[in-house]
């Protein structure tokens, strides 16, 4: 996970991406939208992309295997 500590906002964004609720600029600066609205913390979205938790595929945002693992790990720690 590249030593990136997930915040509650990060986990919410990962869940939204997993649910297919996000789109991203297909080229250039990877600005992200959730449910058609601009995500409130673009620098953090960029950090999640740089950490490999999210990926851009055209105008679609995808949760990577690392992103899924980070989200699953967060659920496991919350349940413990």
């Amino acid at each position: 996970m590249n030593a990136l500590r997930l915040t509650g906002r990060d986990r919410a964004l990962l869940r939204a991406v997993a649910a297919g609720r996000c789109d991203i600029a297909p080229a250039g600066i990877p600005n992200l939208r959730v449910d058609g609205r601009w995500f409130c913390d673009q620098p953090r979205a960029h950090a999640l992309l740089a950490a490999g938790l999210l990926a851009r595929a055209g105008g679609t945002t995808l949760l990577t295997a690392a992103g899924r693992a980070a989200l699953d790990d967060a659920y496991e720690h919350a349940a413990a």
Side-chain angles (χ1 to χ4, degrees):
M1 187 172 52
N2 292 355
L4 183 68
R5 187 176 194 119
L6 292 181
T7 66
R9 182 180 290 166
D10 295 338
R11 290 188 300 277
L13 180 59
L14 293 176
R15 287 191 303 270
V17 169
R21 297 174 34 219
C22 299
D23 61 281
I24 195 165
I29 298 172
N31 288 329
L32 190 79
R33 294 188 309 173
V34 179
D35 296 331
R37 295 178 181 240
W38 293 111
F39 182 59
C40 65
D41 191 353
Q42 293 296 332
R44 193 60 181 176
H46 299 167
L48 294 174
L49 281 158
L53 302 181
L54 302 176
R56 174 167 54 180
T60 303
T61 311
L62 304 173
L63 189 64
T64 65
R68 171 60 61 196
L71 195 53
D72 290 346
D73 186 51
Y75 282 129
E76 288 175 16
H77 282 101

